[in-house]
């Protein structure tokens, strides 16, 4: 998309290289190396006798491989790229106040799984939010950890989740004194955020680490009007997707830790166990570049973002019946639109937005969540608000009470540990016969990817009805062996 930046701040710093318009390479070793290597490739100066198999040619699979250079053997030699990587990661660790950092090309999905593997030993309990992303649930399977679920509170007015209360975690820790740690997801998919400092204090009082899936929060902590990030709040580790909130390549993520309660060598082993040995240099370089941008211009860019979202929220909340999520406990850069008071259906409005070239992150009947980042400005958000308001007016009907997505209402009944259920013999049964059986599979409406059924949980009539309702209203049912929900995979009867 081509549009002018409406914000007066943080404009390009005037370098000569249009491939690095803000002149970040001086503070970003991986970016610098990627710029050099892609320049060599473009000039025909490389005859690589190593992977990748496209050999920098674009006459075979075409432009889809343009700019692809591996970290090992591309950005630097296979024997030395790790030195450059360690330098870039240590800069990120410093920026977030951590003492350990790794860059991942496999998203917060990988980060969650690595942190689960680093946290405890097979069979140990861990206090985990039931608002967890499916990647963390599968992390529990990999690590063999037994979840002690803590449920987030829910706001009855919006039907959306708010944070897990500190007392809920404190109680769980008191009831499960052998738990190896606390693993929370904050902010939530809809930007609600809790008292991480209180959680850190509760975990530390019990002598265990607090680990936070902060997939959506890579920008947090970089402006005085933003909540502090998890590490600053006292967490021992966090994972965050650079590709979600920051201008990084898809898949880019950072895993950060303050070691002590977590062991550095174990963190490295856990990370490496689940990461590719061939990370893409462009993804790694884009994480490095985003870190350098945040370090230098983060405050200005986040300031512009805050003002842009505040203006969009103010505009949308003037539309009769339309609400926006805001106030204490809501991350101020999130733009979550509440539709129930307008009678318009979120999936219908989403179709209009997609037709206008504006895909949103989440839409269900009552909610639309738009992601606004430092790459946006008032031009993009005005266009979004105009299209959204026009669509709402076209589809307006009688206001209705809110109905929570099943992702926000799960009350699990755990019969087996996730790992035990994952590997147990299973049967396929028709939906009518599934109620009361133990699920062998993970089933989640996506987005948000929060399991409504997880391996080891009893399939309740309520969960079946809620999944069917979500599907009938247009949600994609992800990860189920049968996404039509006609059959379910259950643990085989003895
Ligand atoms: C809370 C949460 N954690 C982790 C993930 C996985 O992130 P990624 O897509 O970067 O692997 C997501 C994805 O949406 C998420 O919402």
């Amino acid at each position: 998309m081509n549009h002018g930046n409406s914000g007066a701040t943080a404009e390009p710093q005037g370098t000569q290289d249009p491939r690095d318009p803000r002149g970040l390479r001086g503070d970003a070793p991986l970016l610098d190396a990627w710029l050099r290597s892609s320049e060599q490739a473009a000039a025909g100066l490389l005859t690589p006798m190593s992977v990748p198999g496209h050999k920098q040619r674009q006459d075979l699979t075409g432009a889809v491989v343009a700019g692809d250079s591996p970290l090992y053997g591309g950005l630097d030699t296979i024997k030395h790229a790790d030195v450059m990587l360690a330098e870039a990661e240590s800069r990120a660790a410093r920026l977030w106040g951590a003492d350990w950092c790794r860059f991942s090309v496999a998203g917060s999905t990988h980060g969650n799984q690595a942190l689960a593997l680093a946290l405890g030993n097979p069979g140990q309990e861990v206090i985990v939010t039931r608002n967890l992303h499916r990647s963390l649930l599968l992390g529990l399977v990999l690590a063999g950890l037994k979840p002690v679920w803590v449920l987030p509170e829910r706001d009855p007015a919006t039907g959306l989740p708010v944070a897990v209360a500190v007392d809920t975690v404190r109680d769980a820790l008191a009831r499960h004194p052998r738990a190896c740690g606390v693993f929370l997801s904050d902010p939530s998919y809809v930007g609600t955020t809790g008292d991480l400092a209180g959680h850190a204090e509760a975990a530390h009082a019990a002598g265990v680490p607090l680990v936070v899936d902060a997939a959506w929060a890579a920008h947090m902590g970089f402006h005085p009007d933003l909540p502090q990030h998890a590490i600053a709040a006292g967490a021992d580790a966090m994972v965050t997707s650079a590709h979600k909130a920051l201008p990084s390549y898809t898949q880019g993520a950072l895993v950060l830790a303050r070691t002590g309660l977590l062991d550095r060598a174990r963190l490295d082993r856990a990370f490496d166990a689940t990461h590719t040995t061939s990370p893409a240099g462009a993804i790694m370089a884009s994480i490095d570049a985003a870190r350098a941008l945040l370090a230098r211009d983060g405050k200005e860019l986040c300031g512009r973002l805050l003002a842009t979202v505040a203006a969009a929220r103010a505009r949308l909340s003037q539309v009769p019946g339309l609400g926006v999520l805001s106030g204490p406990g809501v991350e101020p850069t999130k733009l979550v639109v509440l539709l129930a008071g307008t009678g318009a259906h979120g999936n219908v409005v989403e179709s209009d937005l997609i037709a206008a070239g504006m895909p949103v992150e989440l839409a269900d009947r009552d909610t639309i969540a738009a992601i606004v980042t430092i790459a946006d400005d008032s031009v993009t958000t005005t266009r979004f608000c105009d299209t959204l308001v026009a669509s709402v007016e076209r589809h307006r009907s009688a206001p209705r009470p809110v109905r929570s997505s099943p992702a926000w209402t799960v009350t699990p009944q755990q019969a087996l540990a996730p790992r035990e259920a994952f590997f147990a013999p299973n049967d396929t049964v028709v939906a009518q016969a599934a109620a009361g059986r133990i699920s062998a599979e993970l089933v989640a409406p996506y987005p948000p990817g929060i399991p409504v059924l997880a391996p080891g949980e009893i399939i309740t009539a309520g969960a079946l009805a809620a999944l069917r309702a979500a599907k009938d209203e247009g949600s994609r049912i992800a990860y189920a062996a049968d996404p039509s929900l006609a059959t379910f995979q259950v643990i085989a009867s003895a």
Side-chain angles (χ1 to χ4, degrees):
M1 190 185 338
N2 189 15
H3 61 79
N5 274 329
S6 58
T9 56
E11 292 307 307
Q13 307 292 304
T15 84
Q16 297 306 305
D17 187 347
R19 299 175 314 143
D20 177 25
R22 286 175 187 266
L24 298 172
R25 71 189 300 172
D27 176 37
L30 297 179
L31 173 66
D32 183 53
W34 180 84
L35 287 165
R36 268 189 283 111
S37 121
S38 52
E39 192 168 25
Q40 268 186 305
L45 297 174
L46 287 180
T47 310
M49 288 297 139
S50 57
V51 297
H54 56 66
K55 300 291 184 102
Q56 304 299 336
R57 287 173 57 164
Q58 289 184 37
D59 60 334
L60 296 167
T61 43
V64 72
V65 295
D68 180 43
S69 181
L71 172 69
Y72 294 103
L75 269 49
D76 202 343
T77 63
I78 289 175
K79 293 200 173 62
H80 288 117
D82 56 339
V83 176
M84 179 186 285
L85 175 62
E87 171 56 30
E89 289 170 336
S90 75
R91 288 177 196 218
R94 274 200 298 282
L95 183 63
W96 267 272
D99 60 43
W100 179 90
C101 173
R102 298 290 302 269
F103 290 178
S104 173
V105 298
S108 288
T109 295
H110 167 228
N112 274 333
Q113 294 174 357
L115 288 173
L117 281 171
L119 190 55
N121 297 340
Q124 264 189 308
E125 288 183 323
V126 58
I127 314 295
V128 192
T129 175
R130 189 55 181 77
N131 233 2
L132 81 179
H133 187 255
R134 50 97 58 174
S135 56
L136 177 52
L137 197 295
L138 272 308
L140 302 181
V141 170
L142 290 174
L145 296 177
K146 291 187 171 161
V148 173
W149 298 119
V150 284
L151 303 187
E153 311 284 308
R154 193 148 34 95
D155 175 5
T158 62
L160 296 173
V162 294
V164 177
V166 173
D167 279 346
T168 306
V169 166
R170 224 189 283 279
D171 288 352
L173 284 165
R175 281 184 289 107
H176 298 270
R178 296 163 73 89
C180 63
V182 178
F183 209 139
L184 298 177
S185 198
D186 193 285
S188 71
Y189 209 90
V190 291
T192 45
T193 177
D195 178 7
L196 287 181
H199 286 299
E201 196 268 319
H204 294 162
V208 296
L210 169 68
V211 177
V212 180
D213 172 358
W216 295 98
H219 62 301
M220 264 168 52
F222 290 95
H223 188 282
D225 294 342
L226 284 170
Q228 60 186 345
H229 57 69
I231 295 282
D236 299 273
M238 68 180 248
V239 55
T240 190
S241 293
H243 72 94
K244 293 194 194 299
L246 302 180
S248 284
Y249 224 102
T250 298
Q251 298 176 211
L254 299 112
V255 193
L256 295 136
R258 213 164 18 207
T259 57
L261 289 172
L262 290 168
D263 177 67
R264 169 181 295 272
R266 172 78 176 269
L267 281 162
D268 276 323
R269 281 204 300 279
F271 183 96
D272 290 330
T274 39
H275 201 216
T276 175
T277 48
S278 312
I283 302 179
M284 293 302 227
S286 77
I287 302 171
D288 195 25
R291 189 270 316 148
L293 182 67
L294 259 191
R296 195 188 62 196
D297 299 335
K299 192 171 164 199
E300 271 179 291
L301 291 166
C302 289
R304 182 177 82 182
L305 171 62
L306 284 160
T308 304
V309 173
R313 283 180 176 182
R315 154 113 195 263
L316 294 176
S317 50
Q318 279 166 11
V319 176
L322 204 62
V324 290
L325 206 58
S326 63
V330 180
E331 204 271 88
T333 71
K334 214 61 179 198
L335 191 55
V336 175
V337 184
L338 310 169
L339 292 163
T342 69
H345 194 301
N347 290 345
V348 177
V349 176
E350 179 191 32
S351 297
D352 284 350
L353 288 162
I354 291 172
M358 275 176 259
V360 290
E361 188 61 33
L362 172 147
D364 60 24
R365 191 190 73 164
D366 293 338
T367 318
I368 290 200
I371 301 300
V372 188
T373 74
I374 59 174
D376 283 289
D377 56 30
S378 60
V379 175
T380 61
T381 54
T382 301
R383 199 177 292 162
F384 170 74
C385 291
D386 288 347
T387 311
L388 179 99
V389 172
S391 173
V392 164
E393 295 307 346
R394 257 198 312 283
H395 303 297
R396 188 181 274 285
S397 68
R400 55 175 183 257
V402 290
R403 187 176 58 217
S404 277
S405 153
W408 314 133
T409 55
V410 187
T411 311
Q413 292 178 34
Q414 185 90 38
L416 294 175
R419 182 182 176 91
E420 210 182 326
F422 186 91
F423 291 108
N426 58 76
D427 288 334
T428 301
V429 297
V430 294
Q432 294 83 329
R437 301 289 298 270
I438 301 172
S439 183
E441 60 183 340
L442 187 156
V443 182
Y446 208 104
I450 293 166
V452 169
L453 290 178
E457 289 178 359
I458 296 183
I459 303 176
T460 62
L464 288 173
L467 280 170
R468 205 166 300 120
K471 183 184 163 296
D472 290 347
E473 276 184 354
S475 284
R476 173 169 78 95
I477 304 298
Y479 318 119
D482 177 358
S484 79
L485 300 178
T487 60
F488 286 82
Q489 308 238 287
V490 299
I491 303 299
S493 320

